Amino acid sequence: MGAGASAPGAFERLPDPVDESTAMALLGKCFDRADWETITQGTGKVAKDTFITTITVRNHAPSLRAWLEFWRIDELLETLESLDVMSPTDIALLEEKEVHKIGLKTVQKLHWQKALAHGKYLESIHFDKPPSPLYLWLETWRLERLQKGLFDLGCDVKEDLIDLTEADAALLNMKLLEERRWKQATSQLLKVIRNYDFNDNTRCSTPCLKTWLEPLKLEELDEPLKMLGVVELSDLSDMDDRELA
């Protein structure tokens, strides 16, 4: 974004309503005209709260796919994942030759530059935590048995769960205690979403080794680590450089 966005108190000092020139000065390369036309409805200005909320939601994308959708380059998801891109800030780490291999088209190049600028902005404000995957959230609530059923319903990230109806949830065939945990978990999830903090795991637990490796795309190390006697995450601290090699 523009240099002004990362300055302390930048959003509090915005005028109300926010006009286009002010928005452009604040967002810099991240200014997106399509978004601007949507939130202003063609009036050329928007309420300060609405403008700030739009930026906040984009900064807290629940998944890499959702973030790419914001910048209208979600068709690159599989390609980027094959390059080990797991979070928005990772794209700034790609070498020029890797970006060239993606084969960006003319319009994609424009969107890519905006996404790249936003990724660098997120890194500058130290917001570089990868989104919490659905299966980690399910494991936290001891609901991992529901994973396949949820994927079959089209749930890719935990935020998708709030779109499920009671009829959808009934298809999961939850047991009595699972149903109780489900109601508690989804209720808390809704509170988290309303606070626009999609990466906040207020109810947190240490994941098992396999679940920890999966979002890092290191699941092939599961078996080798177990052969070395690594059962829990804390066991990794006992390994020396020779074992890692």
Side-chain angles (χ1 to χ4, degrees):
M1 292 192 184
S6 55
F11 294 106
E12 288 76 7
R13 292 195 295 270
L14 286 171
D16 192 6
V18 178
D19 58 38
E20 184 171 355
S21 60
T22 302
M24 290 180 67
L26 184 76
L27 300 181
K29 292 181 180 179
C30 289
F31 181 77
D32 189 83
R33 187 165 298 280
D35 270 359
W36 178 255
E37 292 298 328
T38 298
I39 63 176
T40 63
Q41 297 182 336
T43 63
K45 57 185 178 181
V46 64
K48 177 179 176 179
D49 287 347
T50 302
F51 180 70
I52 294 174
T53 298
T54 301
I55 297 173
T56 303
V57 170
R58 176 165 289 178
N59 287 352
H60 294 76
S63 67
L64 178 62
R65 176 188 295 176
W67 183 77
L68 292 172
E69 286 175 348
F70 281 141
W71 296 110
R72 297 189 293 286
I73 50 174
D74 49 295
E75 65 274 13
L76 303 179
L77 177 64
E78 290 187 9
T79 302
L80 291 174
E81 287 183 335
S82 70
L83 293 170
D84 289 333
V85 173
M86 294 182 290
S87 66
T89 56
D90 286 345
I91 69 169
L93 302 177
L94 294 176
E95 295 182 4
E96 189 173 340
K97 60 181 181 180
E98 292 173 320
V99 176
H100 181 71
K101 289 179 181 178
I102 296 175
L104 296 171
K105 300 176 183 177
T106 302
V107 175
Q108 286 178 327
K109 289 179 180 178
L110 297 175
H111 295 165
W112 177 267
Q113 290 302 319
K114 292 180 181 180
L116 180 60
H118 188 234
K120 291 179 178 178
Y121 166 74
L122 292 177
E123 185 175 22
S124 73
I125 61 174
H126 307 294
F127 201 93
D128 54 357
K129 179 182 176 183
S132 176
L134 175 60
Y135 41 81
L136 176 56
W137 184 86
L138 290 171
E139 186 180 82
T140 297
W141 288 95
R142 302 193 306 283
L143 294 170
E144 56 266 35
R145 193 182 68 83
L146 308 180
Q147 180 179 336
K148 185 180 184 304
L150 290 169
F151 282 172
D152 290 343
L153 288 170
C155 295
D156 296 310
V157 294
K158 62 184 186 295
E159 287 70 30
D160 289 339
L161 302 182
I162 65 170
D163 294 322
L164 297 178
T165 64
E166 291 185 6
D168 295 328
L171 297 174
L172 299 173
N173 296 316
M174 285 181 273
K175 299 176 182 178
L176 178 60
L177 293 182
E178 285 178 332
E179 187 173 352
R180 290 178 182 175
R181 291 196 296 272
W182 172 265
K183 289 180 179 179
Q184 185 181 0
T186 51
S187 175
Q188 192 227 42
L189 176 62
L190 187 58
K191 291 179 182 178
V192 171
I193 292 174
R194 285 172 176 167
N195 289 329
Y196 297 105
D197 193 352
F198 298 145
N199 289 292
D200 177 26
N201 292 306
T202 305
R203 178 184 171 87
C204 183
S205 69
T206 303
C208 68
L209 181 64
K210 183 178 180 181
T211 301
W212 183 77
L213 290 170
E214 284 181 348
L216 297 174
K217 299 187 184 300
L218 296 173
E219 53 266 37
E220 69 272 10
L221 299 181
D222 185 37
E223 287 302 322
L225 287 171
K226 286 181 178 177
M227 290 177 64
L228 290 171
V230 177
V231 180
E232 299 178 351
L233 289 182
S234 58
D235 294 336
L236 295 175
S237 63
D238 297 326
M239 298 180 65
D240 58 30
D241 292 340
R242 292 173 299 175
E243 293 167 329
L244 288 173

